[in-house]
Amino acid sequence: MNRMNVFLLFAVVIGFSACQSKSKQAAEREIVADGSLPVAPTEEEKTITGVVGDASMNNFMLIVPQGDTLFISTMDQEPNDIAGFELGDTVRVNYIEEEEEPGSSTIPTAQKVIVIGKKSRNK
């Protein structure tokens, strides 16, 4: 009888520790330090070149040589890495594709913007 109690106690302790580990891991995966859901890159960093067609506070439109437009997010990026370009400038953009929500479409997010050609401006 005493062995049975020890065995049951041992099984209960293992069961509780296993449940707590899984719950803690799941919570860490779902919530990052600032309380938001993590956004993981879906691919490696890519590079694209084009002309800046429009810009706002959190994104800009890039017109690539084929004539296609690509809207690139600058949300939550360091200003020094993505600043210094103006409308009409030719830029090279290092970006990653992030999922807005798991399983949804990806959003190109600028990691670095390098001006490779300034638009000539009449003064």
Side-chain angles (χ1 to χ4, degrees):
M1 188 68 167
N2 194 18
R3 285 186 180 178
M4 185 62 121
N5 288 341
V6 171
F7 177 75
L8 286 174
L9 179 62
F10 185 68
V12 168
V13 169
I14 290 175
F16 280 129
S17 64
C19 291
Q20 288 177 345
S21 296
K22 289 180 184 176
S23 297
K24 185 176 180 182
Q25 289 173 356
E28 288 174 354
R29 278 192 308 250
E30 291 180 15
I31 300 174
V32 291
D34 66 358
S36 64
L37 293 176
V39 178
T42 57
E43 295 186 18
E44 296 295 316
E45 190 169 274
K46 298 178 181 181
T47 302
I48 192 166
T49 302
V51 176
V52 178
D54 193 13
S56 71
M57 183 183 281
N58 295 320
N59 63 42
F60 65 95
M61 179 179 69
L62 190 68
I63 304 169
V64 297
Q66 298 83 1
D68 294 334
T69 58
L70 180 64
F71 288 90
I72 300 177
S73 173
T74 57
M75 181 86 72
D76 300 328
Q77 300 304 312
E78 290 294 324
N80 292 337
D81 292 336
I82 56 166
F85 62 88
E86 297 177 1
L87 298 181
D89 289 349
T90 302
V91 296
R92 180 174 46 242
V93 181
N94 297 345
Y95 70 98
I96 58 172
E97 293 181 345
E98 296 182 316
E99 288 182 336
E100 188 173 9
E101 294 179 12
S104 69
S105 61
T106 59
I107 299 170
T109 302
Q111 301 299 297
K112 185 150 189 86
V113 178
I114 303 163
V115 177
I116 58 176
K118 288 294 230 178
K119 177 183 177 183
S120 60
R121 293 169 175 81
N122 296 331
K123 291 188 176 184

